[in-house]
């Protein structure tokens, strides 16, 4: 790493000072230069005042995992100077605001420290305090443009796009960009040894976050009802869904909305609204995070037991309890798989990036209605709230929703009797009706004991017949879940198993291991229940590592429980501090084990 189009840098600022705009400007400019780029926002859970960082990785090879080392740190928050200085790799650079002197104790050998008086320059160039604070960020973007050779024409064009109708803002931003750029050009050797050169590697790609992609996928899937209670990091998904609906779900002739979005009084109520809407025939969903899933479990069990389709988006964050709301984790896996009390098992999809957030949203609604059951989309904060470079989204206009076994009035009339929970086809899925199709299709929805006809019962045999059918339905669903993504290398004796947002780091790690002489196959699990391909992969290697972001090895536990894999055959690689996974974590763990170093 550390060369032309192959380096990482990050900005350390104070939350609430407007740095997000500058950071987004930098990332978008690099992307428009045709260079693969990804960004990770590390921010506090309060509104304003605490430290925040934004990491940008440039990779000519298209790697999108969080970098294991940083070449350049922009330090604008004195409270974190010590941490920022320590973060710079040996031989790297620190750029700080020299309007205030740097404590001599923070000077570190082996790195180059560059000072630019961003604060003083903005005080001299602008008159309003808020303007000086916000434009200080644009000034550091200008300095970085000089140091990293970011195309200034691209940056200035983006400013024109954003502020073209607001001349005063446009002029101020152009001034701030030039302040930083001209100072760096006049005082430092530009560009730095690692810098940018135009490429043509982003054609056919877009930058998008997972929450937006989930919302767009829900629209394309035909969802018309969303119910929610605000929670980090899921809130942005419903905000995006609302924006899409306002644009695409309003009847042009009448001006009436063809959608309903309800902010409920709590997460349990949101789940109840979704279940009611889905029972009535709408495609409905709720988006939440781990604490919300905990509160929804009673209604999740109701939907499971009464065969009602519903989609639940879980944008996972650090737990338990409130935990760290603005850090990422994959610690809800067992909770989702077995949500609610009693014997329950659920369908879960594991997108790895925003592209799959879009496509798996459509799959989730189809699976929910096909199998008449809750379906979970298990994203996380890293996927949901960060911008990823992904292939352009595609859509097949021939798509038609899979509504599953729904009886209309004509089909009902042919039946001698409608039995809501009767398995006719042997796949565990009973035919359902929608309200209003006729009296013959009416039935009482009850969460208490019921038989295959939907009648109340406390008879053991009748009860077991229903719950055994639900188990049979779950088993049949395994073949309908998305297949695992498997990458094979010749002669591999090592298998790497992972899921979700770990994928980018694990695939990069496999490349690094190959360079070190260790051939590793990679399997990314994309759905639960597990299909036959998952079981087959687990028995193929001398060493099989399960890489996930939680403390208790929850994916490993699911594999042992559901597939009967012996515990000692699966080696856990766990990273659960709340930051996105790096390839180095995987490489170090695998290399040590293969070399015979005990875990």
């Amino acid at each position: 790493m550390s060369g032309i189009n192959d380096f990482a840098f990050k900005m350390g600022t104070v939350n609430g000072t407007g740095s997000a705009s500058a950071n987004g400007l930098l990332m978008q400019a690099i992307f428009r230069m045709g260079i693969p780029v990804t960004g990770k926002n590390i921010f506090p859970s309060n509104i304003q005042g605490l430290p925040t960082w934004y990491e940008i990785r440039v990779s000519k090879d298209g790697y999108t995992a969080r970098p294991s080392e940083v070449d350049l740190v922009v330090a604008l928050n004195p409270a974190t100077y010590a941490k920022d200085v320590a973060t710079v790799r040996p031989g790297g650079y620190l750029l700080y605001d020299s309007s205030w002197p740097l404590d001599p104790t923070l000077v570190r050998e082996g790195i180059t420290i560059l000072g630019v008086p961003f604060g003083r320059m903005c005080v001299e160039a602008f008159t309003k305090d808020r303007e000086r604070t916000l434009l200080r960020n644009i000034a550091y973007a200008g300095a970085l443009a000089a140091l990293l050779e970011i195309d200034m024409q691209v940056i200035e064009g983006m400013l024109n796009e954003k502020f073209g109708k607001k001349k005063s803002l446009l002029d101020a931003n152009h001034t701030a960009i030039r302040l930083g750029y001209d100072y760096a050009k006049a005082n430092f050797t530009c560009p730095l040894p690692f810098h940018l050169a135009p490429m043509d590697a982003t054609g056919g790609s877009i930058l998008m976050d997972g929450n937006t992609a989930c919302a767009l996928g829900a629209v394309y899937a035909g969802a018309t009802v969303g119910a929610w209670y605000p929670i980090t990091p899921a809130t942005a998904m419903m905000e995006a869904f609302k924006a899409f609906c306002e644009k695409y779900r309003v009847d042009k002739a009448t001006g009436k909305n063809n959608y309903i979005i309800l902010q409920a009084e709590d997460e349990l109520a949101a789940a109840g609204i979704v279940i009611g809407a889905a029972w009535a025939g709408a495609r409905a969903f709720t988006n939440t995070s781990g604490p919300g899933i905990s509160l929804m479990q009673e209604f999740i069990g109701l939907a499971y037991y009464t065969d009602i389709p519903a989609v639940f988006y879980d944008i996972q964050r650090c737990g338990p309890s409130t935990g760290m709301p603005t850090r990422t984790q994959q610690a809800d896996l067992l909770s989702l798989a077995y949500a609610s009390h009693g014997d329950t098992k659920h369908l879960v999809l594991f997108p790895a990036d925003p592209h799959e957030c879009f496509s798996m949203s459509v799959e989730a609604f189809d699976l929910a209605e096909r199998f008449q059951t809750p379906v979970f989309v298990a994203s996380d904060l890293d996927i949901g709230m960060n911008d990823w470079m992904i292939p352009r989204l595609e859509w097949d206009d021939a798509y038609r929703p899979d509504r599953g076994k729904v009886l209309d009035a004509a089909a009902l009339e042919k039946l001698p009797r409608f039995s809501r929970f009767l398995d006719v086809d042997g796949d565990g899925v009973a035919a359902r009706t929608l309200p209003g199709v006729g009296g013959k299709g009416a039935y009482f929805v009850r969460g208490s004991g019921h038989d295959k006809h939907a009648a109340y019962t406390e008879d053991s045999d009748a009860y077991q017949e229903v719950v055994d059918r639900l188990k049979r339905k779950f088993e049949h669903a395994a073949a309908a879940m998305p297949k695992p993504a498997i990458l094979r290398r010749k002669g591999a004796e090592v298998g790497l198993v992972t899921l979700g947002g770990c994928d980018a780091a694990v695939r990069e790690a496999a490349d690094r291991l190959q360079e070190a002489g260790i051939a590793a196959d990679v399997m990314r699990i994309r759905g639960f229940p597990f299909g036959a391909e998952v079981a087959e992969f687990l028995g193929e290697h001398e060493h099989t590592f399960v890489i996930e972001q939680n403390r208790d090895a929850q994916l490993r536990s699911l594999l042992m429980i559901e597939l009967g894999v012996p515990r000692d055959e699966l080696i856990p690689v766990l990273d659960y501090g709340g930051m996105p996974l790096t390839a180095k974590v995987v490489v170090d763990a695998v290399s040590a084990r293969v070399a015979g170093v005990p875990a």
Side-chain angles (χ1 to χ4, degrees):
M1 201 167 168
S2 303
I4 308 302
N5 295 338
D6 191 20
F7 60 92
F9 63 103
K10 77 175 184 177
M11 286 64 68
T13 58
V14 176
N15 196 37
T17 57
S19 59
S21 295
N23 299 334
L25 178 74
L26 291 165
M27 187 167 163
Q28 283 279 354
I30 296 170
F31 177 79
R32 293 191 185 192
M33 290 175 66
I35 305 167
V37 63
T38 189
K40 305 293 185 186
N41 191 16
I42 303 164
F43 61 102
S45 56
N46 74 335
I47 296 174
Q48 184 171 325
L50 288 181
T52 183
W53 290 270
Y54 193 81
E55 298 179 347
I56 293 179
R57 180 180 184 181
V58 179
S59 171
K60 64 182 186 298
D61 298 317
Y63 292 123
T64 58
R66 182 171 176 247
S68 56
E69 60 180 14
V70 179
D71 302 275
L72 167 66
V73 174
V74 180
L76 293 179
N77 180 7
T80 63
Y81 275 177
K83 181 179 289 189
D84 292 335
V85 170
T87 301
V88 182
R89 68 162 176 82
Y93 289 75
L94 178 84
L95 177 65
Y96 81 104
D97 190 341
S98 60
S99 304
W100 299 272
L102 185 68
D103 189 329
T105 63
L106 296 177
V107 176
R108 174 184 150 206
E109 291 187 11
I111 68 171
T112 301
I113 298 178
L114 307 175
V116 178
F118 297 113
R120 178 172 58 79
M121 290 191 303
C122 288
V123 167
E124 294 171 354
F126 307 107
T127 57
K128 298 178 181 178
D129 289 343
R130 182 63 175 164
E131 191 176 53
R132 290 166 172 171
T133 299
L134 296 176
L135 292 173
R136 181 169 169 247
N137 300 308
I138 303 300
Y140 78 63
L144 288 173
L147 293 168
L148 302 178
E149 210 151 75
I150 303 174
D151 191 326
M152 278 293 281
Q153 287 188 331
V154 172
I155 290 180
E156 289 174 344
M158 292 171 63
L159 292 176
N160 291 337
E161 289 175 14
K162 185 172 184 179
F163 301 112
K165 296 181 180 180
K166 302 176 181 179
K167 188 176 185 306
S168 61
L169 288 176
L170 178 63
D171 291 345
N173 276 269
H174 277 300
T175 298
I177 278 283
R178 279 292 167 185
L179 286 174
Y181 183 86
D182 292 343
Y183 188 95
K185 279 287 190 179
N187 293 277
F188 310 129
T189 300
C190 296
L192 298 179
F194 50 89
H195 56 269
L196 303 167
M199 293 179 66
D200 187 21
T202 59
S205 297
I206 59 173
L207 293 175
M208 189 177 229
D209 66 83
N211 283 341
T212 300
C214 282
L216 188 60
V219 170
Y220 271 78
T224 56
V225 177
W228 67 308
Y229 185 79
I231 187 171
T232 301
T235 293
M237 182 191 163
M238 193 61 77
E239 292 173 346
F241 182 72
K242 178 176 180 287
F244 287 132
C245 286
E246 288 173 344
K247 187 171 183 178
Y248 300 114
R249 290 233 189 284
V250 177
D251 189 297
K252 293 181 180 179
T254 65
K256 291 184 177 180
N257 294 338
N258 293 324
Y259 67 93
I260 295 174
I261 296 174
L262 294 169
Q263 180 177 328
E265 61 267 33
D266 55 34
E267 287 87 351
L268 181 61
I273 292 167
V274 168
I275 291 167
W279 171 81
R283 286 197 153 184
F285 73 92
T286 186
N287 57 300
T288 188
S289 193
I293 293 293
S294 296
L295 292 169
M296 291 177 180
Q297 294 216 9
E298 183 177 358
F299 270 149
I300 290 169
L302 172 67
Y304 172 81
Y305 189 35
T306 56
D307 293 70
I308 295 176
V311 174
F312 296 79
Y313 289 89
D314 179 16
I315 319 302
Q316 298 170 89
R317 70 188 203 188
C318 284
S321 188
T322 303
M324 295 192 293
T326 58
R327 297 290 184 265
T328 195
Q329 240 179 30
Q330 297 171 320
D332 296 349
L333 307 184
L334 291 171
S335 174
L336 299 182
Y338 306 126
S340 198
H341 56 279
D343 290 319
T344 55
K345 289 185 180 181
H346 303 292
L347 280 54
V348 189
L349 300 176
F350 305 111
D353 56 35
H355 193 276
E356 285 196 335
C357 285
F358 175 78
S359 61
M360 285 188 174
S361 288
V362 180
E363 287 185 84
F365 284 97
D366 280 351
L367 288 167
E369 293 205 293
R370 179 178 172 185
F371 292 99
Q372 299 175 32
T373 195
V375 173
F376 295 89
V377 180
S379 178
D380 60 44
L381 183 144
D382 180 29
I383 297 173
M385 295 194 72
N386 285 322
D387 285 325
W388 295 59
M389 192 180 90
I390 59 171
R392 285 187 178 276
L393 303 177
E394 296 181 352
W395 183 251
D396 182 0
D397 285 333
Y399 166 79
R400 295 294 179 271
D402 183 353
R403 303 306 304 268
K405 300 177 184 179
V406 182
L407 301 178
D408 59 18
L412 276 171
E413 284 306 313
K414 296 177 182 178
L415 296 177
R417 176 184 181 182
F418 171 63
S419 296
R420 173 62 185 92
F421 303 115
L422 176 64
D423 180 10
V424 175
D425 302 316
D427 59 0
V429 183
R432 65 179 174 135
T433 60
L434 300 179
V437 297
K440 189 182 256 189
Y443 67 98
F444 189 86
V445 182
R446 62 179 88 242
S448 55
H450 53 263
D451 63 16
K452 61 187 176 184
H453 306 297
Y456 175 80
T457 186
E458 293 187 22
D459 178 77
S460 297
D461 291 339
Y463 164 79
Q464 287 187 210
E465 183 180 11
V466 170
V467 295
D468 287 348
R469 175 187 60 78
L470 294 173
K471 180 182 178 183
R472 190 162 60 249
K473 177 170 70 173
F474 177 83
E475 292 167 348
H476 274 81
M481 302 304 291
K483 306 297 184 187
I486 298 177
L487 175 65
R488 296 190 181 278
R489 284 182 166 83
K490 186 176 180 180
E493 294 183 353
V494 169
L496 307 179
V497 181
T498 193
L499 81 171
C502 291
D503 178 56
V506 172
R507 283 188 290 106
E508 181 180 349
D511 290 347
R512 304 286 179 245
L513 290 167
Q514 182 78 21
E515 294 167 1
I518 301 173
D521 291 338
V522 177
M523 177 176 67
R524 175 169 60 86
I525 293 172
R526 301 174 66 233
F528 177 80
F530 306 124
E533 299 86 353
V534 175
E536 291 168 4
F537 184 93
L538 296 179
E540 293 177 354
H541 306 89
E542 181 178 349
H543 303 282
T544 300
F545 297 84
V546 182
I547 302 125
E548 52 188 309
Q549 290 200 279
N550 57 72
R551 184 195 68 185
D552 295 338
Q554 294 185 26
L555 176 59
R556 179 179 179 237
S557 294
L558 276 175
L559 293 168
M560 292 188 298
I561 293 168
E562 297 295 327
L563 300 179
V565 183
R567 177 186 180 89
D568 293 341
E569 291 184 9
L570 302 177
I571 306 163
V573 178
L574 308 174
D575 185 79
Y576 47 89
M579 297 296 182
L581 183 68
T582 67
K584 185 178 186 300
V585 170
V586 182
V587 170
D588 290 350
V590 173
S591 299
R593 185 60 178 254
V594 171
V597 178

